[in-house]
């Protein structure tokens, strides 16, 4: 399953739903993302016979399409190469979104320790924000002006801001109440990312991996769809 972090998180929910129908699905061990599948509770194998394409629906951008035909997860759940199930697409979709994966149960102790050290001295409620990525930037990224304004407003409101900016491309407000994960990690282990997100009050981000992995934690999650006004 050679796809993005968010896709991996969603696929794990599909696999967990299939488990409830009596199927055991394994994923090939991914050397590029060590620890990810283990955190998500997915069984691993060193062998595989097929690569899942995890395609966008042809109707993904249509405003009139139903959720089953526009949502990427709903479109792929129940389709080959996944096993065919004797249930309708709607029933399977409802089973998938009912899954509650919580990575807090599988995060190793060393990751909790590292993130605790990173957060040492933080006072007040924390908000993690992820506003820029490394692909499709023109359609997803938040502008420098808006990023700085958002950080300023959060700081003025008494929040401590954590920038989930592994790529080092998000504008950073000059404030002692703003920290970036790049102050500590480059790259950041997925275990630490999950542990950090699990400790914030809100994860506010664009359509990228950190926003999707947040759905497998107990953190409140807000998706920024476009540059806000």
């Amino acid at each position: 399953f050679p796809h993005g972090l968010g896709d991996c998180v969603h696929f794990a929910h599909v696999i967990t739903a299939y488990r409830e129908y009596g199927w055991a699905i394994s994923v090939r061990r991914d050397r590029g993302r060590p620890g990810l599948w283990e955190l998500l509770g997915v069984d691993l194998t060193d062998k595989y016979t097929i690569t899942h394409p995890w395609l966008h629906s042809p109707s993904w951008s249509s405003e009139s399409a139903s959720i089953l035909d526009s949502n990427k997860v709903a479109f792929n759940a129940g389709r080959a190469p996944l096993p065919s199930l004797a249930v309708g697409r709607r029933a399977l979709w409802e089973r998938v979104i009912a899954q509650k994966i919580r990575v807090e149960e599988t995060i190793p102790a060393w990751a909790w320790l590292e993130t605790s050290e990173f957060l040492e001295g933080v006072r007040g409620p924390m908000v993690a924000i992820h506003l820029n990525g490394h692909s499709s930037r023109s359609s997803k990224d938040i502008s420098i002006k808006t990023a700085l304004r958002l950080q300023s407003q959060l700081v003025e409101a008494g929040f401590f801001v954590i920038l989930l900016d592994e790529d080092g491309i998000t504008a950073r407000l000059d404030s002692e109440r703003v920290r970036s994960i790049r102050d500590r990690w480059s790259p950041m282990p997925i275990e630490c990312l999950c542990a950090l997100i699990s400790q914030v009050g809100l994860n506010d981000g664009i359509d990228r991996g950190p926003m999707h992995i947040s759905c497998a934690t107990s953190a409140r999650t807000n998706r920024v769809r476009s540059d806000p006004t």
Side-chain angles (χ1 to χ4, degrees):
F1 195 82
H3 302 287
L5 176 57
D7 289 331
C8 292
V9 174
H10 296 153
F11 191 49
H13 283 78
V14 173
I15 289 175
T16 305
Y18 264 81
R19 203 175 286 158
E20 295 184 359
Y21 288 108
W23 286 89
I25 299 175
S26 300
V27 175
R28 186 183 66 171
R29 198 176 307 277
D30 188 348
R31 294 177 178 82
R33 289 196 180 88
L36 173 61
W37 294 112
E38 292 90 334
L39 284 172
L40 296 170
V42 174
D43 294 330
L44 296 174
T45 179
D46 290 319
K47 300 178 180 180
Y48 75 105
T49 58
I50 194 167
T51 298
H52 197 301
W54 201 251
L55 301 172
H56 278 290
S57 162
S59 305
W60 74 272
S61 61
S62 172
E63 295 183 359
S64 60
S66 70
I67 188 69
L68 297 179
D69 293 321
S70 60
N71 182 275
K72 192 175 184 180
V73 184
F75 176 75
N76 283 280
R79 294 178 183 270
L82 287 169
S84 177
L85 298 175
V87 297
R89 293 179 62 203
R90 172 65 65 176
L92 176 56
W93 167 243
E94 292 178 353
R95 184 69 65 95
V96 170
I97 62 176
Q99 301 307 307
K100 300 296 182 184
I101 295 176
R102 288 294 176 260
V103 295
E104 288 95 341
E105 301 171 3
T106 53
I107 295 173
W110 63 265
W112 290 114
L113 178 60
E114 283 196 26
T115 53
S116 295
E117 293 172 348
F118 171 74
L119 295 172
E120 186 175 357
V122 171
R123 297 291 181 269
M126 294 181 289
V127 176
I129 59 176
H130 182 245
L131 306 178
N132 303 96
H134 52 76
S135 63
S136 303
R137 298 190 60 184
S138 62
S139 61
K140 294 185 179 182
D141 276 14
I142 303 302
S143 68
I144 293 175
K145 179 180 178 181
T146 300
L148 291 173
R149 185 174 63 187
L150 174 60
Q151 294 171 57
S152 178
Q153 290 175 341
L154 288 170
V155 167
E156 290 173 3
F159 292 95
F160 202 102
V161 178
I162 307 296
L163 296 179
L164 302 180
D165 181 32
E166 189 171 44
D167 298 310
I169 55 180
T170 298
R172 178 176 179 174
L173 184 71
D174 184 12
S175 170
E176 62 181 10
R177 296 187 64 79
V178 177
R179 291 185 188 177
S180 170
I181 59 174
R182 287 178 63 86
D183 297 340
R184 169 82 189 222
W185 299 278
S186 184
M188 186 182 199
I190 188 66
E191 295 91 342
C192 291
L193 176 62
C194 291
L196 181 60
I197 291 176
S198 296
Q199 297 177 72
V200 302
L202 173 68
N203 183 31
D204 194 12
I206 59 175
D207 182 13
R208 300 285 183 186
M211 187 273 292
H212 293 294
I213 196 71
S214 184
C215 298
T217 73
S218 56
R220 296 179 181 229
T221 306
N222 177 53
R223 176 184 173 186
V224 180
R225 289 183 175 269
S226 60
D227 208 304
T229 57

